[in-house]
């Protein structure tokens, strides 16, 4: 068990950080996640390389989402001024260091950040996101659109500073 923990804690901590910003909350979620992982490992079904890591990440994401719903409630609409829709080319994002980009994502409002992470990193559909967060599909799509717009603005500002 120790080897499993040591091998995957870094990755799972990164996954958790995409959703939860507070260090104490992240530690709690990771602890609860590993309790679930260790207590249900016998039910894990190997489906090829990477399946264990994906299974553990799903547990962490579900724990993080549960924490967001429980502690703060998930706001389906966040107040934000009307945002222009700046286009960000893929090559623009590729030139930004990963840590900087993750910090930009972490600075997004909670609802936007959560939907963006679920859509981009977890590859969930708007229907799945809506079910997970108890919101409407249109709210998921709207929050993703606004998250992308805010992120595009942050990228544009970052590039101006270079």
């Amino acid at each position: 068990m120790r080897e499993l923990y040591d091998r995957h804690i870094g990755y799972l901590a990164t996954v958790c950080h995409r959703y939860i910003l507070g260090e104490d909350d992240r530690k709690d979620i990771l602890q609860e996640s590993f309790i679930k992982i260790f207590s249900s490992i016998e039910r894990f079904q190997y489906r090829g390389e990477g399946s264990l890591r994906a299974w553990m990440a799903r547990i962490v994401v579900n724990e993080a989402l549960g924490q967001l719903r429980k502690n703060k409630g998930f706001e389906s609409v966040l107040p934000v001024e009307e945002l222009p829709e700046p286009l960000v080319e893929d090559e623009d994002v590729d030139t930004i260091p990963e840590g900087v980009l993750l910090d930009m994502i972490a600075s997004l409002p909670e609802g936007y950040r959560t939907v963006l992470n679920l859509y981009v990193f977890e590859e969930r559909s708007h229907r799945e996101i809506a079910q997970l967060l108890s919101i409407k599909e249109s709210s998921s799509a709207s929050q993703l659109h606004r998250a992308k717009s805010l992120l595009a603005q942050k990228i544009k500002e970052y590039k101006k500073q270079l």
Side-chain angles (χ1 to χ4, degrees):
M1 284 195 208
R2 182 66 187 189
E3 184 179 340
L4 180 72
Y5 176 87
D6 289 342
R7 182 174 290 175
H8 297 283
I9 186 61
Y11 171 72
L12 296 176
T14 300
V15 169
C16 189
H17 188 260
R18 288 195 312 243
Y19 297 91
I20 306 295
L21 299 182
E23 185 176 350
D24 290 339
D25 290 336
R26 283 195 311 269
K27 287 179 181 178
D28 290 345
I29 289 168
L30 287 169
Q31 179 178 340
E32 290 300 317
S33 296
F34 272 102
I35 289 170
K36 286 187 178 185
I37 289 166
F38 293 146
S39 66
S40 60
I41 192 76
E42 71 279 350
R43 290 180 283 177
F44 167 72
Q45 294 180 0
Y46 182 78
R47 293 188 175 123
E49 189 175 333
S51 62
L52 176 62
R53 187 177 190 174
W55 177 74
M56 292 189 304
R58 197 169 334 123
I59 291 172
V60 171
V61 168
N62 288 337
E63 285 295 310
L65 293 176
Q67 176 86 1
L68 289 172
R69 283 190 299 264
K70 181 177 76 173
N71 286 349
K72 301 169 191 162
F74 186 82
E75 297 178 30
S76 61
V77 179
L78 295 173
V80 166
E81 65 278 353
E82 287 300 312
L83 297 169
E85 190 167 345
L87 296 175
V88 177
E89 301 296 327
D90 287 339
E91 60 269 8
D92 287 346
V93 175
D94 291 341
T95 63
I96 297 175
E98 182 179 342
V100 173
L101 189 58
L102 290 175
D103 287 344
M104 288 178 189
I105 292 170
S107 72
L108 295 172
E110 183 177 277
Y112 297 173
R113 182 180 68 245
T114 302
V115 170
L116 179 76
N117 283 323
L118 287 169
Y119 189 83
V120 173
F121 294 109
E122 309 303 327
E123 299 178 349
R124 300 289 185 121
S125 68
H126 288 298
R127 174 174 287 156
E128 292 171 312
I129 293 169
Q131 290 172 345
L132 283 168
L133 302 177
S134 300
I135 61 174
K136 296 179 181 178
E137 283 184 55
S138 60
S139 294
S140 174
S142 173
Q143 287 194 22
L144 178 64
H145 173 77
R146 291 181 180 204
K148 286 180 175 181
S149 293
L150 276 172
L151 191 56
Q153 283 183 341
K154 291 176 184 298
I155 289 169
K156 190 175 181 180
E157 290 169 11
Y158 175 81
K159 291 198 165 267
K160 282 182 185 177
Q161 296 174 0
L162 297 179

